[in-house]
Amino acid sequence: MTHRRLTPYFYVAPSLLVMILFIYYPVVQNLQSSLFDWSPFSSDRRFIGLGNYTRLLQDSLFYSALKNNLLHVLVSVLLQVLGALVLAAVLEDRLLRAVAPLLRTVYFLPVLISVSIIGLLFGFIYHPEIGLLNGFLRSIGLEEWTTGWLGNSKTAMLAVISIGQWQGLGYTTMLYIVAIQKIPQELYEAGRIDGCGRIQSFFHITLPQVKEIMFVVTVYTLSQSILVFSDVFVLTKGGPGDASQVLSTYLYRKAFVDNEMGYASTVANMILIITFMLYLVQSKLFNTGRER
């Protein structure tokens, strides 16, 4: 009887052990590191208590990076959470059923391309002289809008954010498509009998039925936006100046360029706190996983 009661714990023990070793233990270690002033090239570790946190709260570059991350979050929620849902609903409409597989492939393809290739591709698209984007603007008479998109401090962050949306939209759209395909067709037929049009069916049938996956997509999108690193690092490295600096690239700079590991640990802890707070807000707003 005791053996049977303990059996479930044996099943979860390996994964729990891996999580403790590779996730929770490093988190605790990072919290400890943030209380010290130290460099990876020196054995001296000076305890400064909450000194790094006090410094972080007065660091204008930290707030600038946080603002860029929040802008990334805002655009990503609009396009990858809400826009992807609309796109998935359109692709699953019976009018597009014949070409839906082709369109799904077209939208999902960018997900399979590595960040390095995307960096090269958009480096060419955004090129100030021979870039496709500036060429297109000139061809439609908007030459005054042309600029060096990645070299201009006013457009660098938006240019990087656009790449994230281009690559991420297909993935979240596919998640919604899977959820929409599981909705019983009887609900839509009943809606049509009651006189519901496509827009009414979307709001009264599709939207409530995909609420659970929408929560998952929102958590995924927000965490990706807060943790974004590779897009920025490959294309701008946080520049020009610090115009496209985000929290992850700022952390990298403090850890591996300025060799301030204690301060970098503090930035990492703030990223964890911000991500966790956003998760709590989402959980409260979506109120998912509860029986009504």
Side-chain angles (χ1 to χ4, degrees):
M1 190 66 179
T2 306
H3 177 72
R4 182 181 286 180
R5 203 178 297 163
L6 291 176
T7 300
Y9 294 101
F10 287 124
Y11 281 111
V12 299
S15 59
L16 190 61
L17 186 62
V18 169
M19 290 185 69
I20 290 172
L21 280 176
F22 294 103
I23 297 178
Y24 295 109
Y25 177 67
V27 168
V28 173
Q29 281 288 90
N30 196 58
L31 282 169
Q32 185 193 20
S33 294
S34 68
L35 303 178
F36 290 83
D37 180 18
W38 62 287
S39 163
F41 301 106
S42 170
S43 58
D44 293 335
R45 286 167 65 97
R46 187 166 60 92
F47 180 76
I48 57 172
L50 297 176
N52 280 326
Y53 291 92
T54 306
R55 178 185 163 191
L56 186 72
L57 294 176
Q58 298 170 348
D59 186 348
S60 60
L61 194 49
F62 167 74
Y63 290 109
S64 173
L66 178 60
K67 188 180 79 175
N68 284 336
N69 274 102
L70 293 178
L71 179 62
H72 201 298
V73 167
L74 178 65
V75 176
S76 297
V77 167
L78 287 175
L79 292 179
Q80 292 189 47
V81 178
L82 302 178
L85 175 58
V86 174
L87 181 60
V90 171
L91 290 177
E92 283 303 296
D93 192 277
R94 60 183 186 279
L95 289 177
L96 292 177
R97 200 151 289 169
V99 292
L102 174 64
L103 293 175
R104 284 201 293 265
T105 305
V106 169
Y107 283 110
F108 189 72
L109 205 56
V111 181
L112 305 176
I113 303 175
S114 77
V115 175
S116 304
I117 302 297
I118 290 174
L120 291 172
L121 176 66
F122 276 86
F124 172 66
I125 291 174
Y126 288 141
H127 195 281
E129 299 298 327
I130 59 170
L132 291 178
L133 182 54
N134 281 347
F136 171 73
L137 291 173
R138 290 189 195 99
S139 69
I140 60 174
L142 295 175
E143 190 161 358
E144 68 274 13
W145 288 19
T146 59
T147 183
W149 297 93
L150 296 174
N152 186 335
S153 60
K154 293 180 181 175
T155 58
M157 192 62 215
L158 289 174
V160 172
I161 290 174
S162 302
I163 295 169
Q165 310 315 308
W166 175 79
Q167 190 183 26
L169 183 67
Y171 181 71
T172 52
T173 302
M174 288 301 291
L175 292 177
Y176 280 130
I177 285 174
V178 172
I180 290 173
Q181 288 177 343
K182 288 183 178 177
I183 299 174
Q185 287 301 307
E186 291 81 3
L187 292 177
Y188 290 106
E189 289 170 13
R192 278 195 289 274
I193 291 171
D194 289 341
C196 282
R198 284 188 170 81
I199 294 176
Q200 288 172 310
S201 293
F202 175 79
F203 282 107
H204 296 294
I205 299 174
T206 306
L207 196 55
Q209 293 292 320
V210 300
K211 186 179 174 184
E212 299 288 337
I213 194 66
M214 186 181 238
F215 172 70
V216 174
V217 168
T218 307
V219 170
Y220 170 79
T221 304
L222 287 186
S223 60
Q224 291 293 304
S225 295
I226 293 295
L227 300 175
V228 62
F229 174 81
S230 51
D231 300 0
V232 180
F233 192 77
V234 167
L235 286 161
T236 66
K237 289 184 170 57
D242 289 306
S244 62
Q245 200 75 257
V246 291
L247 292 175
S248 296
T249 53
Y250 188 47
L251 184 159
Y252 176 88
R253 177 171 140 184
K254 286 297 168 188
F256 303 111
V257 178
D258 298 340
N259 299 319
E260 297 182 69
M261 297 301 287
Y263 194 64
S265 298
T266 309
V267 176
N269 289 331
M270 287 304 291
I271 293 174
L272 176 64
I273 292 169
I274 291 166
T275 308
F276 187 65
M277 286 172 63
L278 288 174
Y279 169 78
L280 291 179
V281 171
Q282 292 167 71
S283 297
K284 190 71 178 172
L285 288 176
F286 278 86
N287 198 26
T288 56
R290 296 180 184 174
E291 296 290 338
R292 285 174 165 60

Tab-separated table of all heavy atoms in Angstrom, residues 4 15 32 50 58 64 68 90 94 105 108 141 150 161 172 198 208 223 236 243:
chain	number	residue	atom	x	y	z
A	4	ARG	N	2.504	1.715	-3.380
A	4	ARG	CA	1.591	2.280	-4.371
A	4	ARG	C	1.422	3.790	-4.156
A	4	ARG	O	1.337	4.551	-5.103
A	4	ARG	CB	0.237	1.574	-4.265
A	4	ARG	CG	-0.765	2.066	-5.283
A	4	ARG	CD	-2.081	1.375	-5.145
A	4	ARG	NE	-2.064	0.004	-5.632
A	4	ARG	CZ	-3.121	-0.792	-5.612
A	4	ARG	NH1	-4.248	-0.379	-5.073
A	4	ARG	NH2	-3.041	-2.011	-6.097
A	15	SER	N	12.414	14.591	-13.118
A	15	SER	CA	12.234	15.941	-13.682
A	15	SER	C	12.366	17.007	-12.604
A	15	SER	O	12.910	18.088	-12.848
A	15	SER	CB	10.874	16.046	-14.383
A	15	SER	OG	9.839	15.765	-13.473
A	32	GLN	N	22.381	35.342	-4.673
A	32	GLN	CA	23.546	35.528	-3.795
A	32	GLN	C	24.609	36.390	-4.496
A	32	GLN	O	25.185	37.297	-3.882
A	32	GLN	CB	24.129	34.166	-3.415
A	32	GLN	CG	25.270	34.268	-2.415
A	32	GLN	CD	26.036	32.969	-2.300
A	32	GLN	OE1	25.979	32.119	-3.187
A	32	GLN	NE2	26.758	32.807	-1.215
A	50	LEU	N	22.621	45.363	-0.581
A	50	LEU	CA	21.679	45.762	-1.636
A	50	LEU	C	22.209	46.910	-2.498
A	50	LEU	O	21.442	47.593	-3.182
A	50	LEU	CB	20.342	46.177	-0.997
A	50	LEU	CG	19.601	45.071	-0.228
A	50	LEU	CD1	18.354	45.623	0.432
A	50	LEU	CD2	19.248	43.903	-1.150
A	58	GLN	N	18.716	53.647	-9.882
A	58	GLN	CA	19.120	55.003	-10.286
A	58	GLN	C	19.792	55.003	-11.663
A	58	GLN	O	20.329	56.018	-12.086
A	58	GLN	CB	20.092	55.582	-9.243
A	58	GLN	CG	19.465	55.726	-7.862
A	58	GLN	CD	20.494	56.063	-6.798
A	58	GLN	OE1	21.692	55.969	-7.028
A	58	GLN	NE2	20.026	56.443	-5.620
A	64	SER	N	15.903	52.832	-19.780
A	64	SER	CA	15.815	52.920	-21.236
A	64	SER	C	15.651	51.529	-21.849
A	64	SER	O	14.833	51.314	-22.753
A	64	SER	CB	17.082	53.600	-21.778
A	64	SER	OG	17.094	53.565	-23.177
A	68	ASN	N	12.363	49.853	-23.884
A	68	ASN	CA	12.414	49.142	-25.166
A	68	ASN	C	11.764	47.760	-25.063
A	68	ASN	O	11.075	47.315	-25.979
A	68	ASN	CB	13.869	48.996	-25.627
A	68	ASN	CG	14.420	50.293	-26.178
A	68	ASN	OD1	13.669	51.151	-26.633
A	68	ASN	ND2	15.722	50.462	-26.130
A	90	VAL	N	-9.184	33.667	-39.903
A	90	VAL	CA	-9.353	33.883	-41.355
A	90	VAL	C	-8.876	32.662	-42.130
A	90	VAL	O	-9.539	32.195	-43.066
A	90	VAL	CB	-8.577	35.146	-41.798
A	90	VAL	CG1	-8.552	35.254	-43.320
A	90	VAL	CG2	-9.210	36.392	-41.189
A	94	ARG	N	-14.076	28.770	-44.108
A	94	ARG	CA	-14.329	27.792	-45.185
A	94	ARG	C	-14.072	28.370	-46.569
A	94	ARG	O	-13.803	27.636	-47.512
A	94	ARG	CB	-15.763	27.251	-45.089
A	94	ARG	CG	-16.858	28.280	-45.194
A	94	ARG	CD	-18.229	27.594	-45.014
A	94	ARG	NE	-19.323	28.516	-45.243
A	94	ARG	CZ	-19.769	29.385	-44.346
A	94	ARG	NH1	-19.189	29.441	-43.154
A	94	ARG	NH2	-20.770	30.194	-44.621
A	105	THR	N	1.804	27.312	-44.442
A	105	THR	CA	3.237	27.082	-44.672
A	105	THR	C	3.976	28.398	-44.847
A	105	THR	O	5.071	28.594	-44.305
A	105	THR	CB	3.435	26.207	-45.930
A	105	THR	OG1	2.684	25.004	-45.780
A	105	THR	CG2	4.898	25.879	-46.144
A	108	PHE	N	4.330	30.054	-41.500
A	108	PHE	CA	5.141	29.331	-40.516
A	108	PHE	C	6.615	29.253	-40.907
A	108	PHE	O	7.472	29.072	-40.045
A	108	PHE	CB	4.577	27.908	-40.338
A	108	PHE	CG	5.198	27.161	-39.189
A	108	PHE	CD1	4.895	27.512	-37.869
A	108	PHE	CD2	6.107	26.134	-39.397
A	108	PHE	CE1	5.465	26.844	-36.803
A	108	PHE	CE2	6.683	25.458	-38.334
A	108	PHE	CZ	6.354	25.810	-37.039
A	141	GLY	N	7.427	56.901	-54.350
A	141	GLY	CA	7.497	58.353	-54.164
A	141	GLY	C	7.659	58.816	-52.732
A	141	GLY	O	7.359	59.969	-52.421
A	150	LEU	N	18.668	50.614	-39.273
A	150	LEU	CA	19.351	50.078	-38.092
A	150	LEU	C	20.384	51.050	-37.529
A	150	LEU	O	20.850	50.884	-36.404
A	150	LEU	CB	20.040	48.752	-38.447
A	150	LEU	CG	19.098	47.620	-38.851
A	150	LEU	CD1	19.886	46.404	-39.317
A	150	LEU	CD2	18.176	47.242	-37.694
A	161	ILE	N	12.146	45.175	-33.616
A	161	ILE	CA	10.850	44.619	-33.178
A	161	ILE	C	10.096	44.018	-34.367
A	161	ILE	O	9.479	42.953	-34.259
A	161	ILE	CB	10.006	45.714	-32.501
A	161	ILE	CG1	10.619	46.094	-31.145
A	161	ILE	CG2	8.569	45.243	-32.299
A	161	ILE	CD1	9.945	47.261	-30.461
A	172	THR	N	2.621	31.511	-33.355
A	172	THR	CA	1.416	31.696	-32.540
A	172	THR	C	0.146	31.462	-33.380
A	172	THR	O	-0.853	30.971	-32.864
A	172	THR	CB	1.395	33.107	-31.917
A	172	THR	OG1	1.585	34.084	-32.944
A	172	THR	CG2	2.487	33.274	-30.890
A	198	ARG	N	-19.987	36.101	-39.606
A	198	ARG	CA	-18.618	35.664	-39.290
A	198	ARG	C	-18.046	36.412	-38.087
A	198	ARG	O	-17.377	35.828	-37.234
A	198	ARG	CB	-17.728	35.873	-40.518
A	198	ARG	CG	-17.928	34.844	-41.608
A	198	ARG	CD	-16.875	34.984	-42.706
A	198	ARG	NE	-16.930	33.851	-43.620
A	198	ARG	CZ	-17.805	33.741	-44.601
A	198	ARG	NH1	-18.714	34.680	-44.794
A	198	ARG	NH2	-17.807	32.674	-45.393
A	208	PRO	N	-14.219	32.687	-27.017
A	208	PRO	CA	-14.316	31.968	-25.730
A	208	PRO	C	-13.701	30.574	-25.777
A	208	PRO	O	-13.150	30.109	-24.778
A	208	PRO	CB	-15.834	31.879	-25.493
A	208	PRO	CG	-16.440	32.927	-26.352
A	208	PRO	CD	-15.546	33.054	-27.550
A	223	SER	N	7.050	36.507	-22.340
A	223	SER	CA	8.368	36.064	-21.880
A	223	SER	C	9.405	36.226	-22.994
A	223	SER	O	10.541	36.633	-22.730
A	223	SER	CB	8.310	34.607	-21.399
A	223	SER	OG	7.897	33.758	-22.438
A	236	THR	N	21.993	44.950	-34.051
A	236	THR	CA	22.457	46.283	-33.621
A	236	THR	C	23.400	46.257	-32.429
A	236	THR	O	24.016	47.265	-32.108
A	236	THR	CB	21.255	47.174	-33.249
A	236	THR	OG1	20.616	46.620	-32.091
A	236	THR	CG2	20.252	47.266	-34.385
A	243	ALA	N	20.341	53.050	-28.227
A	243	ALA	CA	18.953	53.262	-28.641
A	243	ALA	C	18.136	51.978	-28.672
A	243	ALA	O	16.929	52.003	-28.433
A	243	ALA	CB	18.927	53.930	-30.019
